[in-house]
Amino acid sequence: MENIWLEAQTNLKQVLTEQTYTTWIEPLKFLGATADTVVLEVPSSFFQKWVTDKYLSMIKEVLSAITSKNYHIEFHVAEQKPESSEPKAEREPKAKAKEKEKEKEQEKEKEKDKKPELVPNLNPKYTFESFVSGPSNQFAYAASQAVANKPASNYNPLFIYGGVGLGKTHLVNAIGNQILAKNPKAKICYYSSEKFMNEMINSLRYKKMDEFRNKFRKMDLLLIDDIQFMAGKEATQEEFFHTFNALYESHKQIVVTSDKFPKDIPGLEERLRSRFEWGLIADIQPPGVETKVAILKKKSDMHAVNLPDDVALFLAEGATSNIRELEGMLIRLEAFASLTGKEITLSMAREVMKDIIVEKTRDISVEMIQKMVADHFRIKVSELKSDKRIKTLVVPRQIAIYICRELTKASYPEIGDKFGGKDHSTIIHSVKKIEKQLAADADLKATVEEIKKRLFT
Ligand SMILES: Nc1ncnc2c1ncn2[C@@H]1O[C@H](COP(=O)(O)OP(=O)(O)OP(=O)(O)O)[C@@H](O)[C@H]1O
């Protein structure tokens, strides 16, 4: 199985940019596999989160292309190796390289200990150049640029809020990257509020609070992501409050993100809330279809992949507003195209996305389907629901039942109820009948596709 993982890595290398591959895929070490799970080692939990968010579906896709099986992927975070307790004599025969590796790691750890405050933690990919601005994020984008151009002047703190996956992390990193590009000596640090809290807890535990405080209070730019996670954590808020004051008073820039407006974050202390309102509060709204298309185009250009306009539109219309999900779709499509050696087309996208995009349209109701099918065949909804056995009604009825089963979460008995109180075995029979006929009857297939398409638009 290890060979399969190596092959998967080779395939991923062809699909991803070199930088992405070496940063995120190459470090994944094969640890083992069971019949349905592949276990990979990741260097850290941050790394795990990142790979899970961005590349998990792609990794699965590649493995399934090689093995024709769907594997689960389990990540294990690499342990910091403790001193071995094995007797020396037993250790001796083990590769000396291991010892050296350990020494190197210890050296690195020492280095880290010496200057922990100099690691900005920024993601270099998140820049203003790689961010697409549109009506939904224009304000936050302009405010972020203003802060990056003139930190700690007009907009301090800058508070960016918006829903999941709408680009908050991207924008705060872009601020940090731009300031760092202009001034490589700037002391910048990007932290999620969870990381801030965990580090604070560890510092308390190991009596290193002074070090912790000094580290943050020396920053020129402090970027704290997802502040809503501090809600209800009084000690963390207290510490952050003092850090905030120290930085603010020494005219250092603070940028905070959240999924909500400050006053809507339950459990956020009043004194912090009011401080967030001292500066500028900028929101990011869900993007419209045009912005989503522009983002897809930009990302596919960055990956040097040709994404036709109709496919971009199909993805943008089918996706939710979460850009992370949109990116996931694009990566899936790009991987499929690369692994099969085919151009990306609309029909390919429909096929590759069929589960994902149908899944998102599950709010289609039985009633909507009944109306659409009745209109299509120019019959009345009441006729569709009736028991009349004439062919012009039976076929539309079976089609409608089949689509209900495919696109709604309604059970067989629930569908039966909505079709004039039919027995669930009648419903099962209709679904099976259409399923069977679809394989052989191209006209029927086209009719069903047409009705489904109209339901989605
Ligand atoms: N306008 C945009 N242009 C280009 N890429 C974008 C844009 N908005 C979001 N993205 C991309 O979408 C992904 C998710 O964005 P990001 O992580 O910044 O969202 P977030 O708002 O911080 O999400 P969360 O609420 O989960 O923390 C990232 O890969 C980011 O690069």
Side-chain angles (χ1 to χ4, degrees):
M1 188 69 206
E2 181 157 16
N3 285 343
I4 291 178
W5 171 243
L6 293 176
E7 190 180 338
Q9 279 187 312
T10 311
N11 291 351
L12 287 163
K13 194 172 185 177
Q14 286 159 13
V15 189
L16 298 166
T17 61
E18 199 186 329
Q19 196 194 0
T20 305
Y21 177 79
T22 45
T23 314
W24 301 111
I25 304 296
E26 201 170 49
L28 298 174
K29 275 197 218 143
F30 178 82
L31 287 184
T34 61
D36 60 356
T37 306
V38 173
V39 187
L40 300 174
E41 186 182 82
V42 285
S44 65
S45 42
F46 170 76
F47 199 103
Q48 174 180 348
K49 183 178 179 306
W50 193 265
V51 170
T52 306
D53 279 358
K54 307 263 173 190
Y55 307 113
L56 186 59
S57 56
M58 195 169 179
I59 292 173
K60 284 183 173 173
E61 199 84 46
V62 171
L63 280 172
S64 119
I66 298 172
T67 60
S68 307
K69 272 183 72 179
N70 291 325
Y71 279 98
H72 297 289
I73 307 290
E74 206 174 289
F75 291 112
H76 282 194
V77 176
E79 278 177 25
Q80 299 288 4
K81 289 180 191 133
E83 269 302 320
S84 175
S85 55
E86 286 173 55
K88 200 164 192 250
E90 275 176 36
R91 275 200 287 152
E92 226 54 344
K94 291 191 180 163
K96 275 195 172 167
K98 242 185 173 179
E99 289 288 336
K100 275 197 177 160
E101 208 177 285
K102 203 180 201 176
E103 277 165 26
K104 264 195 210 160
E105 265 173 28
Q106 282 167 351
E107 276 306 309
K108 269 195 215 158
E109 284 304 311
K110 274 188 207 157
E111 277 300 303
K112 267 197 225 160
D113 282 348
K114 266 193 240 160
K115 36 184 181 177
E117 71 275 18
L118 294 181
V119 184
N121 281 333
L122 294 169
N123 182 336
K125 274 197 329 187
Y126 289 169
T127 60
F128 287 122
E129 290 70 37
S130 62
F131 191 86
V132 174
S133 74
S136 56
N137 57 35
Q138 195 95 55
F139 183 34
Y141 178 72
S144 302
Q145 282 196 314
V147 163
N149 290 332
K150 266 190 160 188
S153 49
N154 292 333
Y155 310 124
N156 199 17
L158 172 63
F159 187 99
I160 301 176
Y161 77 97
V164 175
L166 296 188
K168 303 179 293 292
T169 303
H170 190 136
L171 273 184
V172 286
N173 274 269
I175 298 175
N177 281 319
Q178 177 154 320
I179 294 180
L180 200 62
K182 274 195 205 153
N183 175 12
K185 287 195 182 143
K187 295 198 198 75
I188 297 176
C189 131
Y190 164 83
Y191 260 55
S192 70
S193 65
E194 255 176 325
K195 190 167 177 205
F196 182 90
M197 183 173 82
N198 291 338
E199 211 169 289
M200 188 190 101
I201 293 169
N202 274 333
S203 305
L204 281 169
R205 214 164 116 203
Y206 297 111
K207 303 197 170 19
K208 286 186 171 172
M209 267 319 273
D210 284 347
E211 235 174 75
F212 176 81
R213 286 189 181 123
N214 289 339
K215 165 171 151 179
F216 287 102
R217 292 176 198 183
K218 261 194 252 162
M219 290 297 152
D220 297 315
L221 170 66
L222 179 62
L223 308 161
I224 298 283
D225 208 359
D226 289 325
I227 198 86
Q228 74 275 6
F229 289 125
M230 277 192 200
K233 318 273 183 350
E234 280 164 31
T236 312
Q237 288 191 41
E238 163 100 24
E239 190 54 42
F240 182 66
F241 173 76
H242 294 299
T243 303
F244 182 102
N245 287 345
L247 289 176
Y248 189 84
E249 278 156 22
S250 31
H251 303 286
K252 304 296 180 176
Q253 178 74 45
I254 302 147
V255 183
V256 173
T257 79
S258 162
D259 65 347
K260 294 184 193 72
F261 194 80
K263 80 167 165 38
D264 296 330
I265 305 175
L268 184 70
E269 282 182 25
E270 174 59 25
R271 55 185 181 167
L272 265 183
R273 186 185 65 71
S274 72
R275 268 159 184 78
F276 293 152
E277 290 172 3
W278 281 353
L280 179 68
I281 301 182
D283 65 322
I284 304 187
Q285 292 297 325
V289 170
E290 293 85 350
T291 306
K292 286 198 266 180
V293 167
I295 293 172
L296 284 168
K297 288 293 217 175
K298 177 138 213 162
K299 304 256 172 199
S300 55
D301 281 354
M302 280 161 55
H303 305 165
V305 167
N306 179 33
L307 182 74
D309 292 349
D310 56 352
V311 179
L313 189 63
F314 168 71
L315 297 182
E317 282 178 340
T320 57
S321 51
N322 184 336
I323 311 291
R324 198 175 290 120
E325 277 185 31
L326 197 63
E327 279 184 336
M329 287 183 176
L330 181 63
I331 287 174
R332 190 183 161 101
L333 196 56
E334 287 174 355
F336 187 86
S338 161
L339 294 169
T340 57
K342 291 184 187 152
E343 291 277 304
I344 296 179
T345 61
L346 186 55
S347 60
M348 175 203 277
R350 285 220 163 95
E351 183 55 28
V352 175
M353 297 299 150
K354 68 177 186 284
D355 295 336
I356 301 172
I357 291 187
V358 168
E359 192 55 37
K360 289 181 184 316
T361 51
R362 290 281 159 120
D363 52 348
I364 289 175
S365 65
V366 170
E367 288 74 13
M368 283 160 69
I369 295 170
Q370 287 172 331
K371 166 113 190 32
M372 193 61 82
V373 173
D375 286 354
H376 183 91
F377 289 100
R378 296 172 201 279
I379 56 175
K380 291 187 194 139
V381 171
S382 59
E383 289 175 315
L384 198 68
K385 294 190 198 173
S386 73
D387 291 329
K388 284 190 203 149
R389 306 273 324 143
I390 43 173
K391 197 173 174 207
T392 46
L393 297 182
V394 171
V395 174
R397 187 179 299 137
Q398 289 177 336
I399 290 177
I401 289 172
Y402 167 81
I403 297 179
C404 286
R405 186 60 194 164
E406 221 198 344
L407 298 187
T408 74
K409 287 183 182 147
S411 63
Y412 289 120
E414 281 164 353
I415 298 175
D417 271 356
K418 297 203 170 178
F419 277 81
K422 293 191 174 43
D423 190 76
H424 79 279
S425 58
T426 312
I427 304 301
I428 295 176
H429 170 76
S430 302
V431 173
K432 290 216 165 124
K433 184 130 197 236
I434 297 292
E435 263 171 10
K436 208 166 155 200
Q437 284 178 359
L438 277 176
D441 185 341
D443 286 345
L444 177 70
K445 197 168 176 206
T447 305
V448 171
E449 284 303 316
E450 170 64 22
I451 295 169
K452 275 163 60 179
K453 198 169 114 199
R454 287 179 50 209
L455 279 162
F456 296 150
T457 48

